[in-house]
Amino acid sequence: MKLLWRQLTGRCTSCGQKLNSKKTPSTRIVEINNKGTRLASQLGRMPQTQSCKKCNRIVFEGQPGFIQRHLLIDMGLGTHHRK
């Protein structure tokens, strides 16, 4: 039902952001910066971000459409030993 509602209201079915926004790019950037600053103050660190796979808009952690990804291999930077 949520997906149908998002389609009817012109939103991305993955993250829920408006697809046909009438906002200027500068207004959108200000909103993204404000959202990032607000989340940073709540989390006590900078939030993780990624782009939505469907609409390519920025999604912050904790929002719909954010997919938790973890590295499967610890790269171990600085622990290489030469023989």
Side-chain angles (χ1 to χ4, degrees):
M1 193 59 137
K2 185 188 292 186
L3 296 178
L4 179 61
W5 177 252
R6 286 181 177 176
Q7 286 177 344
L8 291 173
T9 56
R11 296 179 176 270
C12 175
T13 56
S14 180
C15 68
Q17 296 186 61
K18 281 195 174 259
L19 294 176
N20 298 324
S21 178
K22 295 181 180 177
K23 297 176 183 173
T24 63
S26 58
T27 305
R28 182 79 181 122
I29 290 170
V30 169
E31 285 180 352
I32 289 169
N33 288 338
N34 289 342
K35 191 182 295 185
T37 303
R38 188 174 57 248
L39 285 171
S41 66
Q42 290 174 354
L43 296 171
R45 60 176 171 77
M46 289 304 293
Q48 295 178 359
T49 59
Q50 59 188 215
S51 60
C52 177
K53 288 185 175 185
K54 288 193 175 187
C55 68
N56 294 321
R57 295 194 179 215
I58 294 175
V59 180
F60 290 96
E61 64 179 301
Q63 292 182 324
F66 185 84
I67 301 168
Q68 210 46 273
R69 296 180 187 139
H70 300 286
L71 291 176
L72 299 176
I73 300 173
D74 183 10
M75 298 303 286
L77 297 175
T79 59
H80 293 71
H81 297 286
R82 292 185 181 179
K83 291 184 178 182

